Amino acid sequence: MIPHRINAKLFITDETAVSLPAIVPVFHRWIQTQAVPGLLIDVADYKHVQDGPGILIIGHEGDYSLDQANGRSGLLYTRKREWLAPDFKERLKLVISLAVQAAQLLDTEDSLNLTFRTDTIELAFPDRLTAPNTAETFSALQADIITALAEVYGTDEIVLTLTTDDVKR
């Protein structure tokens, strides 16, 4: 069982600092300067959607967004295609690394005044056919998730929590 799509979200420490309109020119600049890896195509503005995707950079391999789902703002990276690594752990490490890199880049944007939590990351596998949201899937992927997180973050102090048992999420 290897999920094809993988999400990694790093949360913003201060929700009141989030200004979605200020993200738009930053994301446009990322496209122009190729600030993050991957072919970046366009910026989509969903700030009108409550608890929605916020502002997105649509990419070929993956999408970056300042996401506001579930009432928690954060940098979300979604890898959707073109895996070079057949191994799940390596795929996961890539997604986590790209999310961390993008969050660090937003951290350096003086116009945004955003900082991201480094002690929490939300991982999701929006691939219900390959990785349904069940205790069995969680159990099957747990060892690789812990190993990937330990290798990216350089720590063995990792606690995984299944945040929902809703099979539609």
Side-chain angles (χ1 to χ4, degrees):
M1 164 189 330
I2 298 178
H4 181 72
R5 293 175 36 132
I6 301 174
N7 293 355
K9 183 174 180 179
L10 297 161
F11 297 102
I12 292 173
T13 56
D14 180 8
E15 291 283 332
T16 63
V18 176
S19 169
L20 290 180
I23 299 293
V24 174
V26 172
F27 279 0
H28 278 294
R29 189 173 67 252
W30 282 17
I31 293 172
Q32 294 163 355
T33 62
Q34 298 176 348
V36 291
L39 175 62
L40 305 178
I41 299 167
D42 201 2
V43 175
D45 183 341
Y46 288 96
K47 67 179 176 280
H48 62 282
V49 179
Q50 184 174 352
D51 292 338
I55 308 295
L56 288 96
I57 296 179
I58 307 302
H60 179 71
E61 301 88 358
D63 302 333
Y64 295 87
S65 68
L66 192 69
D67 179 76
Q68 296 188 305
N70 301 318
R72 294 185 71 192
S73 297
L75 184 283
L76 174 68
Y77 177 71
T78 301
R79 184 69 173 216
K80 54 189 181 182
R81 66 171 53 120
E82 298 193 9
W83 291 105
L84 298 177
D87 175 65
F88 172 66
K89 181 185 70 151
E90 293 304 315
R91 291 178 179 190
L92 192 55
K93 281 174 45 179
L94 173 68
V95 169
I96 295 167
S97 296
L98 290 171
V100 168
Q101 178 184 354
Q104 289 171 339
L105 196 55
L106 284 177
D107 258 341
T108 65
E109 288 286 338
D110 292 333
S111 65
L112 299 179
N113 196 30
L114 297 176
T115 55
F116 291 85
R117 293 184 60 167
T118 58
D119 62 342
T120 303
I121 186 168
E122 182 179 85
L123 300 172
F125 310 104
D127 192 350
R128 288 191 286 181
L129 290 176
T130 306
N133 189 19
T134 63
E136 293 80 21
T137 301
F138 183 71
S139 178
L141 299 177
Q142 194 168 14
D144 282 338
I145 293 170
I146 289 171
T147 302
L149 286 167
E151 289 179 15
V152 171
Y153 283 102
T155 182
D156 290 333
E157 297 180 28
I158 295 169
V159 177
L160 297 183
T161 305
L162 183 62
T163 56
T164 180
D165 58 0
D166 181 357
V167 294
K168 294 182 180 180
R169 293 202 48 198

